């Protein structure tokens, strides 16, 4: 394992973890963490995220998988960053297909269409490849991620986003699970409709040229955190298009070529 190269003290990590936890649970916007800790680096962000994961697991949340974020050029440009990130997913973030999400529980909700992988074998870094990911994948399935940056006016940086668990908030899986070997995930088309109007479209290659590359990247970051990707993990490979803001009354459907569709709607 490569240990994280952090600058924050253990006490500061705990303080920031509590700040992020409060913002997430109370749907409250906070200032980006680098305002108070300008020297904070990405490893510090992961130290805070690790502390948040440990805290949630202690509270009884179950780890169900991971997400790769900021994996497409559209997302990177939209957020002004140039490096992907990862975050963890728990059972409390899962929403059933066609479910309704109360926006009073979120700060800046936006939706993304993603190809999710369900793994059947453990994967470990530091040199995990897309080929290994595909060999360890039971199936792929359409997903919508609802991200929620907890930072005031979206004023954030990569360190703060990583500490905020990559803006993870909710996710919905649906449509038809498919064997990855039966699809070309690079050319697979996705269309996002909001209230019946097409708002975004793209193809799988937008995610690091192949969504399995994003999962391999995630496994290699996990290695740095001293973790492996367990068999039976649900992994979201990253938004194929830019993220779309939602308001109460909106409904979103993501249509995936040869994989069916997944939908979700939003209330006050
Ligand atoms: O899922 C992601 O691409 C992570 C996005 C993190 C920044 C944001 O809140 O948009
Ligand atoms: Mg995402």
């Amino acid at each position: 394992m490569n240990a994280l190269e952090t600058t924050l003290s253990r006490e500061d990590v705990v303080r920031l973890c509590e700040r992020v936890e409060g913002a997430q649970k109370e749907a409250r916007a906070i200032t980006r963490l680098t305002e108070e800790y300008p020297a904070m680096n990405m490893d510090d962000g992961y130290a805070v995220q690790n502390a948040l994961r440990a805290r949630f697991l202690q509270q009884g949340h179950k780890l169900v998988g991971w997400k790769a974020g900021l994996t497409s050029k559209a997302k990177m440009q939209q957020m002004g960053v140039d490096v992907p990130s990862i975050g963890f997913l728990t059972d409390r973030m899962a929403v059933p297909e066609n479910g309704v999400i109360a926006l009073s529980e979120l700060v800046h909700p936006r939706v993304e269409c993603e190809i999710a992988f369900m793994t059947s074998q453990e994967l470990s870094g530091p040199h995990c490849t897309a080929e290994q990911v595909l060999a360890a994948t039971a199936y792929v399935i359409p997903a919508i991620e609802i991200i929620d940056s907890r930072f005031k006016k979206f004023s954030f940086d990569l360190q703060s986003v990583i500490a905020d668990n990559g803006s993870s908030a909710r996710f919905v899986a649906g449509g038809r699970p498919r064997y990855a070997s039966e699809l070309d995930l690079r050319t697979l088309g996705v269309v996002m409709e909001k209230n019946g109007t097409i708002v975004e479209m793209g193809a799988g290659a937008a995610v690091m040229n192949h969504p399995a590359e994003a999962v391999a990247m995630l496994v290699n970051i996990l290695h740095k955190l001293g973790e492996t990707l367990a068999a039976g993990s649900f992994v979201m490979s990253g938004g194929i298009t830019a993220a779309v803001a939602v308001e109460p009354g909106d409904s979103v459907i993501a249509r995936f070529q040869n994989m069916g569709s997944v939908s979700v709607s939003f209330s006050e």
Side-chain angles (χ1 to χ4, degrees):
M1 162 197 158
N2 292 331
L4 291 174
E5 288 171 22
T6 53
T7 68
L8 295 178
S9 67
R10 187 63 211 153
E11 290 71 32
D12 285 337
V13 168
V14 171
R15 238 178 109 234
L16 292 180
C17 167
E18 285 171 356
R19 191 180 300 176
V20 169
E21 182 190 15
Q24 292 192 3
K25 289 192 171 158
E26 292 158 29
R28 186 162 43 75
I30 55 175
T31 47
R32 62 191 160 123
L33 308 184
T34 47
E35 297 251 317
E36 191 182 347
Y37 295 93
M40 192 179 155
N41 62 28
M42 286 207 295
D43 283 5
D44 290 314
Y46 280 115
V48 176
Q49 186 189 118
N50 283 348
L52 190 68
R53 173 162 45 99
R55 188 177 275 261
F56 283 166
L57 298 187
Q58 222 169 27
Q59 293 167 5
H61 303 210
K62 303 271 179 292
L63 183 72
V64 296
W66 293 85
K67 62 163 276 185
L70 303 165
T71 48
S72 73
K73 279 209 181 80
K75 272 293 301 194
M76 286 189 187
Q77 273 167 6
Q78 187 181 30
M79 306 326 300
V81 299
D82 56 5
V83 184
S85 64
I86 71 167
F88 62 87
L89 301 174
T90 72
D91 57 340
R92 311 276 174 102
M93 302 176 189
V95 175
E97 192 173 11
N98 297 318
V100 180
I101 296 175
L103 291 183
S104 56
E105 296 171 5
L106 304 174
V107 181
H108 296 124
R110 287 171 302 143
V111 295
E112 302 185 325
C113 306
E114 310 207 4
I115 295 169
F117 290 65
M118 179 56 77
T119 64
S120 55
Q121 292 164 38
E122 185 184 33
L123 282 163
S124 54
H127 302 299
C128 181
T129 63
E131 290 70 31
Q132 289 169 342
V133 168
L134 290 169
T137 296
Y139 58 85
V140 288
I141 185 167
I144 292 178
E145 180 177 26
I146 299 90
I147 48 173
D148 188 31
S149 173
R150 267 62 60 158
F151 298 109
K152 282 182 185 156
K153 298 188 186 156
F154 288 113
S155 168
F156 62 66
D157 41 48
L158 207 46
Q159 301 92 304
S160 300
V161 168
I162 290 169
D164 186 24
N165 194 22
S167 304
S168 301
R170 304 281 186 276
F171 63 88
V172 192
R176 285 164 48 209
R178 296 286 310 265
Y179 293 121
S181 56
E182 292 178 351
L183 300 167
D184 179 354
L185 293 180
R186 284 173 55 252
T187 58
L188 191 128
V190 178
V191 173
M192 190 200 304
E193 288 177 22
K194 184 167 89 168
N195 306 327
T197 301
I198 294 176
V199 285
E200 289 287 345
M201 52 189 146
V207 173
M208 297 180 68
N209 200 40
H210 192 299
E213 292 286 356
V215 181
M217 176 279 302
L218 179 145
V219 172
N220 293 330
I221 295 180
L222 280 179
H223 176 78
K224 259 199 112 184
L225 306 188
E227 303 280 352
T228 61
L229 183 67
S233 292
F234 174 80
V235 184
M236 286 193 294
S237 57
I240 289 171
T241 64
V244 172
V246 284
E247 292 177 2
D250 283 345
S251 61
V252 170
I253 178 159
R255 301 184 191 281
F256 289 68
Q257 186 182 3
N258 298 322
M259 297 179 84
S261 62
V262 55
S263 58
V264 67
S265 51
F266 298 90
S267 66
E268 290 277 345

